[in-house]
Amino acid sequence: MSDTGFEAALEAARAGLAEGGIPIGAALVRAGEVVAVGHNERVQQGDPIAHGEMSALRAAGRQRTYRDTVLYTTLAPCAMCAGTIIQFKIPRVVVGESRTFPGELELLRSRGVQVEVLDDARCVELMEQFQREYPILWAEDIAE
């Protein structure tokens, strides 16, 4: 595992929260090097599809292939982000936690994506605190 990739995703999540947004970060890594980092920008950009994973992929720009990358994300990907991972054939996703939101891990696995859940206490604490303090914003993010 690239500690650098996961730590970059976690730092991005914290940055998103500091900007008044939702604390979900992601990093795209190739050969142990961080290609791009992003965080959920739905609030900041007023963009309903600017989830953390989408933001990282947008920051990466065009890539000839994603088949040699790993996507690190602080929270289990939603259906939209899972679909994007499947579409671009990202073979491996490392998830900070899936306790506060289960996401679509089984969908990813059913499509051959290797999924590793770290159950990182920092990610759990960050999301639990956010969900307690901003329940309406969280519900909006997951379309509840």
Side-chain angles (χ1 to χ4, degrees), residues 73-144:
T73 181
T74 58
L75 187 65
C78 70
M80 176 179 67
C81 295
T84 302
I85 291 163
I86 292 164
Q87 174 68 29
F88 290 106
K89 298 176 176 57
I90 296 171
R92 184 166 175 244
V93 177
V94 178
V95 177
E97 65 101 356
S98 61
R99 281 195 234 173
T100 63
F101 179 73
E104 295 292 338
L105 302 181
E106 291 312 311
L107 171 61
L108 290 169
R109 288 178 176 125
S110 76
R111 296 299 295 266
V113 177
Q114 179 188 356
V115 176
E116 178 182 354
V117 179
L118 302 176
D119 199 28
D120 185 89
R122 299 168 297 174
C123 293
V124 173
E125 181 180 329
L126 190 62
M127 283 307 298
E128 284 179 343
Q129 180 180 353
F130 177 78
Q131 290 169 342
R132 272 192 315 273
E133 293 178 11
Y134 304 98
I136 294 171
L137 187 55
W138 173 241
E140 177 188 317
D141 195 60
I142 58 172
E144 289 294 321

Side-chain angles (χ1 to χ4, degrees), residues 24-98:
I24 303 168
L28 186 69
V29 173
R30 175 180 284 120
E33 298 293 322
V34 176
V35 173
V37 177
H39 59 74
N40 187 303
E41 297 178 288
R42 291 184 70 255
V43 174
Q44 300 91 316
Q45 301 296 326
D47 181 349
I49 63 170
H51 284 198
E53 298 89 341
M54 302 299 240
S55 176
L57 291 171
R58 187 176 288 126
R62 291 177 58 196
Q63 300 287 313
R64 188 186 67 72
T65 185
Y66 295 90
R67 294 175 189 217
D68 59 348
T69 64
V70 177
L71 184 67
Y72 292 84
T73 181
T74 58
L75 187 65
C78 70
M80 176 179 67
C81 295
T84 302
I85 291 163
I86 292 164
Q87 174 68 29
F88 290 106
K89 298 176 176 57
I90 296 171
R92 184 166 175 244
V93 177
V94 178
V95 177
E97 65 101 356
S98 61

Side-chain angles (χ1 to χ4, degrees), residues 3-24:
D3 288 338
T4 304
F6 179 69
E7 293 301 324
L10 183 56
E11 191 56 39
R14 290 175 175 148
L17 182 61
E19 294 171 3
I22 298 161
I24 303 168

